[in-house]
Amino acid sequence: MARRRQAVTIKHVAADAGVSLQTVSRVINNEPNVRPEMKERVQASIDKLGYVPSIAAQRMSGSRSYLILAINDRDRTIEDWRARQGTDWVDQMLLGGMLKCAEHGYRLIFELVDTHSDHVERELSGAIAALQPDGIILTPPHSDNPQIVSFLADQKIPFVRIGSIQNGEGIPVSMDDEGSARQATEYLIERGHRAIGFIAGSREYALSGWRVDGWRQAMAAAGLSTDGLLAEGDFSFASGVTAAGELLNGTVRPTAIIASNDQMALATLEVARLLDLAVPQDLSLISFDNTPLVHFTQPPLTAVDQPIAATTSKAVELLIAAQKGEAPPKALTVVKASIFVRESVAPPSGAVGG
């Protein structure tokens, strides 16, 4: 049986170069105050031995762990995974976060925490103690959870709050939910719609209210009424069915609806079918998120594309900068969303309500 090749470690590099372990680690991490000739000597040994740096080696040069911890809501994430309905929030987080971490020699660790748990602080304490992350990324609804935000502030660890616009502890990063809803509403108004319904998401998420605000702003700017045109869901398909039914069976039937996520948009599409309303001939429809499912519906749905990957990538950049001692941005960091136009929007077939 062939003998397994011994892995090359930082100790082998240090011995070959005739330097200390700390010197090798400083070279690996591109730290300042390393003489050029010393850097060349260590790099030559790394190249000769085929050494691949480990996180343990990186940590030796100082207090950094080279780990970023991303925290997502446990219940909703597990529910989405089990349903296998095409949601890809976590995938996009990993795409943006892992690639940006790799650029800087970091690793991204993903953890699920129950925002409703009485033991949330214990869960966070356990994760922090085990991983000793250089920074933490919070996602909705954790990003505006006062208990979680306050706890992390006390830990003196840099953290970014995705989907938050609130000043205070941590670094807020917005995906411009209010502006995106306003943009989607204006897109429909430009195409002649006057009765534009809106299906809001769960009140547990602050961003749900911001999206409603954006819709109201655009309607008000165009001199249009919103009376009877707002329904509330909780981001689930079932709640979307109820909300779409309320709007489409109400006293003012909308010619267009904006749904606050893809699941509720799919539900609206189903309710329209049951009412013999053709999309987009009888009802135009715009969704939020732009997950894989909306590409393959009939018709494919026009959707606000949430820039989750780009936002997570930016969050990693901000955390690494904070770890280096750089001051966080004074202004709110905003990563703009865009609208992907497909086949679910058309001018209204006739004047309705308003």
Side-chain angles (χ1 to χ4, degrees), residues 16-92:
D16 186 79
V19 300
S20 68
L21 297 176
Q22 287 75 16
T23 297
V24 177
S25 188
R26 285 200 296 271
V27 172
I28 292 170
N29 295 312
N30 199 27
E31 298 283 347
N33 303 321
V34 179
R35 297 195 310 275
E37 62 271 20
M38 185 66 70
K39 187 173 183 178
E40 289 178 9
R41 188 199 307 178
V42 171
Q43 189 60 54
S45 294
I46 289 173
D47 294 341
K48 181 177 74 172
L49 299 174
Y51 173 66
V52 178
S54 67
I55 289 179
Q58 290 174 310
R59 287 186 177 187
M60 292 186 66
S61 66
S63 60
R64 282 185 284 174
S65 68
Y66 293 88
L67 294 176
I68 300 294
L69 174 61
I71 297 175
N72 214 43
D73 182 55
R74 175 183 288 124
D75 287 349
R76 186 167 294 279
T77 302
I78 292 175
E79 179 183 340
D80 288 342
W81 283 343
R82 285 176 173 164
R84 303 181 70 178
Q85 293 176 333
T87 54
D88 67 344
W89 172 276
V90 174
D91 289 349
Q92 291 299 308

Side-chain angles (χ1 to χ4, degrees), residues 138-145 148-149 159-164:
L138 294 179
T139 60
H142 296 331
S143 35
D144 282 315
N145 181 311
I148 292 176
V149 170
F159 62 100
V160 166
R161 298 156 59 193
I162 288 180
S164 179

Side-chain angles (χ1 to χ4, degrees), residues 80-345:
D80 288 342
W81 283 343
R82 285 176 173 164
R84 303 181 70 178
Q85 293 176 333
T87 54
D88 67 344
W89 172 276
V90 174
D91 289 349
Q92 291 299 308
M93 279 188 65
L94 295 175
L95 170 64
M98 291 178 69
L99 292 182
K100 183 56 64 175
C101 278
E103 287 181 23
H104 296 273
Y106 274 71
R107 298 292 187 272
L108 184 74
I109 305 294
F110 188 80
E111 292 276 336
L112 299 180
V113 172
D114 184 2
T115 194
H116 302 292
S117 172
D118 294 334
H119 309 296
V120 64
E121 291 186 8
R122 189 170 66 191
E123 289 186 49
L124 290 171
S125 293
I128 291 170
L131 300 171
Q132 299 179 6
D134 286 342
I136 295 175
I137 299 173
L138 294 179
T139 60
H142 296 331
S143 35
D144 282 315
N145 181 311
Q147 182 183 10
I148 292 176
V149 170
S150 175
F151 174 79
L152 289 182
D154 291 340
Q155 307 307 303
K156 308 302 181 184
I157 299 173
F159 62 100
V160 166
R161 298 156 59 193
I162 288 180
S164 179
I165 62 174
Q166 306 299 320
N167 292 324
E169 305 293 352
I171 306 171
V173 177
S174 167
M175 288 189 283
D176 196 25
D177 292 277
E178 185 175 306
S180 298
R182 185 169 56 247
Q183 182 183 3
T185 308
E186 290 169 347
Y187 180 81
L188 291 168
I189 292 171
E190 290 168 1
R191 280 146 189 80
H193 292 276
R194 297 296 177 263
I196 301 171
F198 196 92
I199 300 178
S202 169
R203 294 185 185 182
E204 183 181 6
Y205 293 72
L207 59 83
S208 296
W210 301 331
R211 293 177 183 178
V212 172
D213 291 342
W215 166 70
R216 288 191 188 277
Q217 290 167 11
M219 294 290 279
L224 302 175
S225 172
T226 58
D227 291 346
L229 291 172
L230 176 64
E232 185 175 322
D234 62 11
F235 293 126
S236 68
F237 184 92
S239 74
V241 169
T242 301
E246 291 176 7
L247 292 176
L248 294 174
N249 291 303
T251 55
V252 179
R253 173 175 284 182
T255 62
I257 290 176
I258 301 170
S260 285
N261 79 330
D262 288 342
Q263 294 297 323
M264 296 192 297
L266 295 176
T268 303
L269 197 61
E270 177 64 13
V271 172
R273 184 187 67 81
L274 293 173
L275 294 174
D276 292 324
L277 297 174
V279 175
Q281 293 85 352
D282 302 317
L283 176 71
S284 287
L285 181 58
I286 293 181
S287 180
F288 263 83
D289 289 344
N290 196 36
T291 57
L293 282 180
V294 302
H295 300 220
F296 306 110
T297 56
Q298 290 298 322
L301 298 185
T302 293
V304 174
D305 186 74
Q306 289 278 273
I308 301 164
T311 303
T312 310
S313 177
K314 185 64 179 179
V316 170
E317 287 183 355
L318 291 168
L319 289 172
I320 293 174
Q323 181 65 25
K324 292 179 179 178
E326 298 179 21
K330 293 182 179 179
L332 174 67
T333 299
V334 178
V335 182
K336 294 287 187 180
S338 56
I339 294 181
F340 276 64
V341 176
R342 298 191 182 90
E343 300 170 24
S344 63
V345 174

